[in-house]
């Protein structure tokens, strides 16, 4: 009986020691080591890929955001501020969509099928809005020129990028609203277009936040 109790005690003590040692190694030392290496090797990515403008953090390279006018009384959805390049829709397009404002607490795509009547209406309405918003004097957007990312959200609904095609159809409107030359804005888009990763992975893309920061700087320099 005493031997049995003694053996049980030794097993429990051995298990407790193993738990304490592994807790220190995997719960303290390993996280500290990984954090330290990350801070030294790539501090920008380790801290959320922060983007700064005028010395202040204005967002992240990895998370999209909206560029809207202030919400007016009685409005449920703020209107886009058309002097800025606009991102793709965030997670759905209607009032019942998962996430319409790039809210970080929510991430995910709509579960509606391609033949869903609500989804079809949202996409149709979104395409009409893109055509209307980006058609200015001397330049008319054709519905056939509107790319898919202009009217649909990404899988996460938080994509910070748009296609070069979507950026291009916004150029004339942005130039007009900011009293800039079309060629100047086209150069901004070209300078902020990233190629495929390693030349073959993914598609060319434009980070909207980085592009709008460059647009702000160009407008400030002009003014």
């Amino acid at each position: 009986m005493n031997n049995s109790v003694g053996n049980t005690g030794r097993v429990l003590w051995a298990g407790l020691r193993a738990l304490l040692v592994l807790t220190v190694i995997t719960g303290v030392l390993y996280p500290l080591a990984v954090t330290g290496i990350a801070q030294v090797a790539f501090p920008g990515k380790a801290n959320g890929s922060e983007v700064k403008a005028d010395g202040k953090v204005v967002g992240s390279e990895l998370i999209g955001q909206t560029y809207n006018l202030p919400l007016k009384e009685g409005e449920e959805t703020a209107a886009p501020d058309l002097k800025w390049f606009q991102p793709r829709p965030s997670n759905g397009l209607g009032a019942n969509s998962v996430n319409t404002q790039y809210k970080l607490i929510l991430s995910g795509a709509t579960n509606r099928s391609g033949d869903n009547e609500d989804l079809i209406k949202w996409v149709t309405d979104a395409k009409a809005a893109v055509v209307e918003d980006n058609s200015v004097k001397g330049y008319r957007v054709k519905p056939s020129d509107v790319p898919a990312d202009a009217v649909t959200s990404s899988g996460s609904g938080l994509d910070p990028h748009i296609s070069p095609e979507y950026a291009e159809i916004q150029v004339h409107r942005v130039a007009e609203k900011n009293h800039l030359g079309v060629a100047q804005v086209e150069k901004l888009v070209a300078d902020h277009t990233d190629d495929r990763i390693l030349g073959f992975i993914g598609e060319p893309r434009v980070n909207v936040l980085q592009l709008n920061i460059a647009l702000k700087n160009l407008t400030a320099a002009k003014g």
Side-chain angles (χ1 to χ4, degrees):
M1 183 67 176
N2 290 335
N3 288 338
S4 177
V5 172
N7 289 336
T8 301
R10 283 193 295 271
V11 170
L12 291 174
W13 175 235
L16 179 60
R17 284 182 295 173
L19 174 62
L20 293 174
V21 171
L22 290 174
T23 297
V24 171
I25 293 175
T26 62
V28 179
L29 298 181
Y30 177 75
L32 287 176
V34 171
T35 300
I37 293 171
Q39 290 294 333
V40 172
F42 27 83
K45 292 183 178 180
N47 292 312
S49 300
E50 295 175 339
V51 176
K52 293 184 177 181
D54 300 324
K56 299 178 180 179
V57 176
V58 294
S60 168
E61 291 181 357
L62 307 177
I63 303 295
Q65 55 183 275
T66 55
Y67 303 86
N68 293 332
L69 295 169
L71 192 65
K72 296 180 180 179
E73 186 177 351
E75 288 184 338
E76 293 184 3
T77 304
D81 188 342
L82 297 179
K83 73 179 182 180
W84 302 110
F85 283 93
Q86 294 296 311
R88 65 188 302 175
S90 175
N91 273 6
L93 299 167
N96 296 320
S97 59
V98 177
N99 181 3
T100 59
Q101 298 295 328
Y102 283 94
K103 295 177 181 177
L104 299 186
I105 197 171
L106 295 172
S107 175
T110 178
N111 61 357
R112 290 173 170 82
S113 63
D115 60 355
N116 180 271
E117 292 183 1
D118 288 337
L119 182 61
I120 293 173
K121 185 179 185 307
W122 296 341
V123 171
T124 302
D125 291 346
K127 177 176 284 192
V130 169
V131 170
E132 180 181 355
D133 289 344
N134 293 286
S135 294
V136 298
K137 185 178 180 180
Y139 177 76
R140 178 73 183 175
V141 177
K142 299 177 182 178
S144 58
D145 292 337
V146 178
D149 64 299
V151 297
T152 58
S153 65
S154 64
S156 68
L158 303 174
D159 191 351
H161 299 99
I162 57 175
S163 66
E165 292 77 16
Y166 186 27
E168 184 62 33
I169 66 174
Q170 299 186 60
V171 163
H172 288 77
R173 181 253 299 162
V174 169
E176 181 183 86
K177 295 289 185 181
N178 291 280
H179 308 291
L180 297 169
V182 171
Q184 290 178 291
V185 183
E186 286 181 332
K187 186 176 186 304
L188 278 185
V189 172
D191 291 345
H192 289 83
T193 298
D194 297 322
D195 292 328
R196 293 177 174 87
I197 300 173
L198 301 179
F200 68 94
I201 300 175
E203 295 293 333
R205 62 209 180 279
V206 181
N207 187 289
V208 182
L209 175 57
Q210 297 280 20
L211 180 58
N212 278 332
I213 291 174
L215 172 63
K216 180 182 178 181
N217 292 337
L218 178 61
T219 304
K222 176 181 177 295

